[in-house]
Amino acid sequence: MIRVLIVDDQTIVRAGFAALLDAQPGISVVGQAGDGREAVRLAESVLPDVVVMDIRMPGMDGIEATRRLLARPGAESVRVLVLTTFDVDDYVYAALAAGASGFLLKDATAEELVSAVRVVARGDALLAPQVTGRLIREFSKQRRNQPRPPAELKSLTARETEVLMQIAGGLSNAEIAARLVVSEHTVKTHVARVFTKLRLRDRAQAVMLAYESGLVTPGESQQA
């Protein structure tokens, strides 16, 4: 069962998301919060697997709430899905930098929201199609003027580096397996080792590191 905490300053939006998600098999809404500070406090008691987080809220916004929530001891397995009406690069990057695993616009369909919750719950990254291209350009323009590859990248084997590059291209484990002509189990093993060596939470952080370090550049991504 995926335990979901919904955070939004609009009561009707929270109620709508809660009704939708709670009706889905395998998903249970365990709490609702009206601002970031309440979300951080509530997460300690309801122990969510996924937090559906608005960005713009009075008091503590969703970006700061994400940062604080994920910094808590025991929050290693929590995933944050950011929902917003703003498809602005700064918000996208700031949310992912704070540790969010996904970014979806509020005009997404009900099916897309449900799917997004399931995607981030299993540890995959999710970006709204409307913002993925701009995000990559943002990496290229602002974050790679002087790329500094993390020393940990040197600890990766050639195959693990290749897997990291495919993750940055947006490929799933099954797609990576097909491209590298190996089993999906082998890919899962490589992904786990990459995450451990680079101390990454999930695929969203892997994508960020690959672009920021200069390991991958726009145009190399297969699904940018």
Side-chain angles (χ1 to χ4, degrees):
M1 183 68 69
I2 302 172
R3 299 169 58 84
V4 177
L5 170 62
I6 299 172
V7 187
D8 197 291
D9 61 329
Q10 298 183 43
T11 303
I12 192 169
V13 172
R14 292 200 309 271
F17 287 162
L20 169 65
L21 293 174
D22 222 17
Q24 307 304 313
I27 297 178
S28 176
V29 176
V30 296
Q32 300 180 41
D35 59 52
R37 186 165 284 101
E38 182 183 2
V40 174
R41 184 169 57 248
L42 190 58
E44 295 182 359
S45 58
V46 301
L47 303 176
D49 300 307
V50 175
V51 180
V52 177
M53 181 80 75
D54 188 23
I55 283 188
R56 285 198 169 186
M57 295 180 289
M60 184 186 296
D61 65 21
I63 293 172
E64 179 61 23
T66 295
R67 186 177 295 111
R68 294 193 185 189
L69 192 154
L70 297 180
R72 297 182 303 109
E76 294 79 11
S77 63
V78 178
R79 300 290 180 260
V80 175
L81 173 65
V82 170
L83 284 174
T84 181
T85 56
F86 301 93
D87 59 340
V88 181
D89 291 332
D90 287 346
Y91 289 123
V92 181
Y93 188 86
L96 294 176
S101 296
F103 188 103
L104 197 64
L105 301 185
K106 282 186 176 178
D107 62 1
T109 66
E111 292 77 12
E112 287 172 336
L113 173 58
V114 173
S115 175
V117 168
R118 297 191 190 280
V119 166
V120 299
R122 65 174 181 255
D124 289 339
L126 184 141
L127 294 175
Q130 300 96 316
V131 300
T132 303
R134 284 197 300 280
L135 176 63
I136 291 173
R137 288 194 293 274
E138 179 78 3
F139 278 122
S140 178
K141 181 176 64 176
Q142 295 188 15
R143 307 293 174 177
R144 295 189 60 258
N145 293 331
Q146 294 181 322
R148 299 175 182 175
E152 293 89 343
L153 283 179
K154 297 179 180 178
S155 69
L156 300 182
T157 66
R159 180 46 62 96
E160 288 165 356
T161 299
E162 192 172 11
V163 167
L164 175 57
M165 293 174 69
Q166 298 300 323
I167 291 173
L171 274 64
S172 67
N173 286 351
E175 291 168 331
I176 295 173
R179 177 157 297 182
L180 301 183
V181 195
V182 297
S183 70
E184 189 170 348
H185 175 76
T186 297
V187 173
K188 289 180 180 178
T189 299
H190 287 315
V191 171
R193 288 175 179 167
V194 168
F195 285 8
T196 298
K197 289 182 178 181
L198 301 182
R199 299 190 296 276
L200 302 173
R201 290 176 56 88
D202 53 31
R203 295 172 97 91
Q205 289 195 338
V207 171
M208 290 181 64
L209 184 146
Y211 278 101
E212 288 187 322
S213 68
L215 179 65
V216 174
T217 59
E220 292 180 352
S221 171
Q222 300 302 313
Q223 294 188 4

